[in-house]
């Protein structure tokens, strides 16, 4: 019998940058909550995920207040996740560190949403996505603002995921 991790399984990775937070000078960075606009945008991101039928087996979320709240508002819009992991490594991570987090995802997980920060999330989206000149691909490399999200598909095992392994399915900037 074949090991499930060796099968070519269609996998989906959603890279969600946290929604707009209050200004950094008001409190410690880790504690910054979402602004009113951020709460509306996070809910809009959730509505987008629901409309696309994206139901994550696993959400990987930075422990910062703004990323936790981004996920909470997205989930409040109807996104149902099997499991949520808050991982300190995501906070202030670059693309290589985020890839290390993804390498730890269990092999049987098909859909992951990673809720993180810039510039790591935009860099990872750019790194994983096969080179291309589609308008969405070009836009992703030029701007990836708060609540921006990229939907990627790949068949690579999570533990082997590397640059240029994914196809960009969609890139949107949901606004509430």
């Amino acid at each position: 019998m074949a090991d499930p991790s060796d099968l070519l399984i269609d996998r989906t990775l959603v890279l969600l940058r946290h929604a707009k937070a209050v200004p950094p000078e008001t409190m410690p960075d880790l504690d910054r909550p979402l602004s009113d606009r951020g709460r509306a945008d996070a809910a809009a991101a959730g509505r987008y995920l629901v409309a696309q039928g994206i139901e994550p087996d696993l959400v990987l979320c930075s422990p910062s207040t703004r990323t936790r709240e981004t996920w909470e508002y997205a989930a409040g819009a109807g996104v149902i996740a099997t499991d949520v992991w808050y991982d300190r490594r995501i906070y202030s991570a670059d693309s290589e560190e985020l890839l290390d987090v993804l390498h730890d995802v269990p092999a049987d997980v098909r859909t992951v949403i990673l809720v993180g920060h810039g510039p790591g999330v935009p860099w990872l989206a750019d790194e994983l996505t096969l080179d291309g000149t589609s308008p969405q691909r070009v836009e992703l490399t030029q701007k990836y603002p708060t609540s921006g999200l990229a939907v990627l598909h790949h068949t690579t095992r999570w533990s082997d995921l590397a640059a240029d392994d994914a196809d960009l399915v969609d890139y949107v900037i949901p606004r509430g």
Side-chain angles (χ1 to χ4, degrees):
M1 184 132 232
D3 182 339
S5 64
D6 291 330
L7 300 175
L8 287 180
I9 298 173
D10 287 329
R11 293 179 172 91
T12 300
L13 172 61
V14 177
L15 296 172
L16 174 59
R17 183 172 175 199
H18 68 77
K20 184 79 172 167
V22 300
E25 58 275 356
T26 60
M27 65 192 61
D29 187 65
L30 194 65
D31 299 331
R32 292 171 45 217
L34 295 180
S35 65
D36 289 342
R37 185 185 115 194
R39 289 188 292 275
D41 291 350
R47 289 190 297 275
Y48 166 83
L49 294 167
V50 169
Q52 300 305 308
I54 296 173
E55 294 183 4
D57 301 306
L58 177 61
V59 174
L60 298 169
C61 188
S62 163
S64 75
T65 300
R66 62 191 177 276
T67 49
R68 285 174 168 269
E69 288 183 355
T70 297
W71 172 245
E72 289 169 12
Y73 279 89
V79 182
I80 298 170
T82 304
D83 203 0
V84 181
W85 295 354
Y86 295 96
D87 192 322
R88 177 91 179 150
R89 296 177 296 169
I90 297 170
Y91 183 74
S92 297
D94 62 21
S95 59
E96 190 173 312
E97 293 164 320
L98 291 174
L99 203 50
D100 287 342
V101 171
L102 290 170
H103 287 162
D104 291 340
V105 171
D108 61 337
V109 170
R110 295 182 69 138
T111 301
V112 171
I113 296 176
L114 188 146
V115 186
H117 307 267
V121 165
W123 289 346
L124 183 62
D126 183 39
E127 184 178 322
L128 289 178
T129 308
L130 290 164
D131 286 333
T133 56
S134 72
Q136 287 182 320
R137 177 71 170 90
V138 171
E139 184 181 8
L140 177 146
T141 62
Q142 293 176 346
K143 66 176 184 173
Y144 205 118
T146 55
S147 74
L149 67 85
V151 180
L152 309 174
H153 281 179
H154 64 94
T155 56
T156 308
R157 288 182 294 186
W158 295 108
S159 60
D160 296 331
L161 190 61
D164 298 329
D165 275 349
D167 293 313
L168 178 64
V169 174
D170 207 359
Y171 170 68
V172 297
I173 304 163
R175 295 294 184 226

